[in-house]
């Protein structure tokens, strides 16, 4: 285990010096078995570190009993930086089986689209055990489904990530996403289009082009700035936990749609992971090309 390298996370076993066990007697907690996230970037960037670290632990025969976000996710904690917000978003299903010691399973790379094409049951096992939606996220997802009358079997989802993403990958233009969407609509003229984006301009563009076919979640904020939305919300004092729960609920809705026009990045990766397969996905890669 000393050679095991995790992705911006720390695995704690039988220690009383970290997190909720800080200052405690080691003998008082002899079976500590927890994974702590140490990352402080965007929400799905943090989630990706946890997912990759869990896969690494699986390869070494380790299944954490608990995941803790008290040492990371700082942009999403307005009042208490040490709060563990894992329960705000997820719950563990201990009944989900985990295959161990599978060293040939690759780690997904968020900004490399080819990583998304891997059909891997081990990925699904990790998602189904550790990334089930919390009650709050599930309730928000149900609210969106009912309010917008979503029929997943007749919906095309478009996930467009703008703002500062251009610093990491080459972004395809909104018109290219629209072209793919219109081509799908030619064969499915009765379908709706769920547009999920962080940019006001993109949402308005799709609305102008597709009219009443558009489904857009009013519960999620947008920005016209090129700056990451998390930093803007942080400055104006927005409730980032609640906002992020709405985002996660929306992404889970996106993952269930018949077709998805997806971007390459941490959010796009988690839509794929929530979906559990690659069926019906059109992907713009890290070079802005449709694959």
């Amino acid at each position: 285990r000393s050679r095991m390298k995790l992705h911006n996370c720390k695995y704690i076993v039988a220690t009383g010096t970290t997190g909720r066990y800080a200052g405690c007697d080691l003998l008082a907690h002899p079976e500590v078995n927890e994974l702590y996230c140490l990352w402080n970037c965007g929400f799905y960037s943090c989630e990706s570190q946890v997912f990759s670290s869990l896969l690494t632990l699986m390869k070494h025969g380790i299944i954490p009993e608990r995941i803790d976000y008290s040492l990371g996710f700082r942009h999403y904690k307005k009042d208490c930086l040490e709060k563990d917000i894992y329960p705000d978003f997820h719950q563990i299903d201990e009944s989900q089986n985990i295959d161990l010691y599978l060293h040939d399973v690759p780690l997904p790379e968020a900004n490399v689209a080819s990583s998304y094409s891997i059909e891997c049951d081990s990925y699904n096992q990790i998602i189904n055990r550790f990334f089930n939606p919390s009650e709050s996220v599930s309730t928000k997802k149900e609210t969106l489904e009912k309010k917008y009358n979503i029929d997943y079997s007749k919906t095309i989802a478009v996930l467009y990530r703008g703002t500062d993403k251009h610093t990491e990958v080459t972004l395809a233009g909104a018109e290219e996403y629209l072209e793919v969407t219109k081509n799908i609509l030619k064969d499915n003229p009765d379908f709706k289009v769920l547009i999920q984006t962080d940019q006001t301009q993109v949402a308005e563009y799709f609305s102008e082009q597709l009219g009443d076919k558009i489904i857009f979640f009013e519960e999620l904020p947008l920005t016209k700035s090129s700056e990451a939305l998390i930093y803007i919300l942080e400055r104006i004092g927005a409730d980032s936990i609640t906002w992020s729960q709405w985002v996660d609920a929306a992404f889970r809705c996106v993952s269930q749609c018949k077709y998805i026009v997806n971007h390459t990045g941490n959010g796009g990766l988690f839509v794929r992971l929530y979906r559990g397969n690659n069926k019906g996905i059109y992907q713009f890669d890290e070079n802005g090309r449709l694959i």
Side-chain angles (χ1 to χ4, degrees), residues 117-134:
S117 64
I118 300 170
E119 292 283 1
C120 183
D121 187 54
S122 294
Y123 289 2
N124 292 340
Q125 291 175 14
I126 292 173
I127 291 294
N128 293 334
R129 184 170 181 122
F130 295 104
F131 290 93
N132 295 292
S134 66

Side-chain angles (χ1 to χ4, degrees), residues 250-277:
F251 275 39
R252 291 179 187 274
C253 290
V254 167
S255 73
Q256 291 185 233
C257 292
K258 178 73 172 181
Y259 298 103
I260 302 174
V261 186
N262 201 15
H263 86 98
T264 293
N266 290 290
L269 173 61
F270 261 80
V271 162
R272 153 69 180 88
L273 292 172
Y274 286 159
R275 190 177 187 80
N277 62 69

Side-chain angles (χ1 to χ4, degrees), residues 39-104:
W39 198 237
N40 292 297
C41 292
F43 183 81
Y44 289 105
S45 176
C46 295
E47 295 276 80
S48 293
Q49 312 307 307
V50 176
F51 181 88
S52 294
S53 294
L54 284 167
L55 183 54
T56 299
L57 289 173
M58 306 301 111
K59 292 180 179 182
H60 287 77
I62 300 171
I63 303 176
E65 295 178 359
R66 182 173 173 273
I67 297 177
D68 190 297
Y69 286 178
S70 63
L71 303 179
F73 288 81
R74 293 297 176 90
H75 296 297
Y76 304 90
K77 303 174 185 180
K78 177 183 176 183
D79 300 318
C80 179
L81 294 180
E82 288 73 35
K83 180 182 179 182
D84 172 20
I85 65 171
Y86 177 85
D88 291 290
F89 294 94
H90 305 300
Q91 53 185 320
I92 293 176
D93 179 4
E94 294 181 354
S95 68
Q96 169 62 52
N97 180 61
I98 295 287
D99 293 330
L100 302 176
Y101 303 108
L102 298 178
H103 295 283
D104 59 337

Side-chain angles (χ1 to χ4, degrees), residues 21-225:
Y21 297 108
C24 296
D25 183 355
L26 173 62
L27 296 179
H29 301 281
E31 297 180 357
V32 178
N33 176 20
E34 302 177 342
L35 179 66
Y36 287 76
C37 179
L38 310 178
W39 198 237
N40 292 297
C41 292
F43 183 81
Y44 289 105
S45 176
C46 295
E47 295 276 80
S48 293
Q49 312 307 307
V50 176
F51 181 88
S52 294
S53 294
L54 284 167
L55 183 54
T56 299
L57 289 173
M58 306 301 111
K59 292 180 179 182
H60 287 77
I62 300 171
I63 303 176
E65 295 178 359
R66 182 173 173 273
I67 297 177
D68 190 297
Y69 286 178
S70 63
L71 303 179
F73 288 81
R74 293 297 176 90
H75 296 297
Y76 304 90
K77 303 174 185 180
K78 177 183 176 183
D79 300 318
C80 179
L81 294 180
E82 288 73 35
K83 180 182 179 182
D84 172 20
I85 65 171
Y86 177 85
D88 291 290
F89 294 94
H90 305 300
Q91 53 185 320
I92 293 176
D93 179 4
E94 294 181 354
S95 68
Q96 169 62 52
N97 180 61
I98 295 287
D99 293 330
L100 302 176
Y101 303 108
L102 298 178
H103 295 283
D104 59 337
V105 179
L107 292 173
E109 298 182 63
N111 288 327
V112 179
S114 58
S115 290
Y116 298 18
S117 64
I118 300 170
E119 292 283 1
C120 183
D121 187 54
S122 294
Y123 289 2
N124 292 340
Q125 291 175 14
I126 292 173
I127 291 294
N128 293 334
R129 184 170 181 122
F130 295 104
F131 290 93
N132 295 292
S134 66
E135 290 187 12
S136 294
V137 172
S138 292
T139 298
K140 289 177 172 59
K141 179 173 179 286
E142 292 172 3
T143 297
L144 295 175
E145 291 169 336
K146 292 177 181 178
K147 178 178 178 179
Y148 297 96
N149 194 27
I150 301 174
D151 180 352
Y152 290 119
S153 67
K154 292 187 175 182
T155 303
I156 304 164
V158 178
L159 183 62
Y160 186 90
R161 170 74 161 84
T163 62
D164 63 329
K165 192 62 183 176
H166 67 89
T167 62
E168 300 176 5
V169 299
T170 299
L171 296 178
E175 65 280 359
E176 296 174 82
Y177 281 74
L178 178 65
E179 182 180 358
V180 175
T181 304
K182 285 184 173 180
N183 285 336
I184 300 173
L185 284 171
K186 288 178 182 178
D187 296 324
N188 305 278
D190 59 336
F191 275 36
K192 292 285 190 176
V193 177
L194 170 58
I195 176 69
Q196 177 58 45
T197 180
D198 52 0
Q199 284 201 295
T200 303
Q201 301 94 317
V202 175
E204 291 175 347
Y205 174 67
F206 268 78
S207 181
E208 291 168 359
Q209 293 293 317
L210 298 178
D212 61 4
K213 282 193 172 297
I214 286 293
I215 299 172
F216 175 73
F217 296 147
E218 298 175 351
E219 288 76 5
L220 276 65
L222 297 172
T223 177
K224 290 186 177 181
S225 169

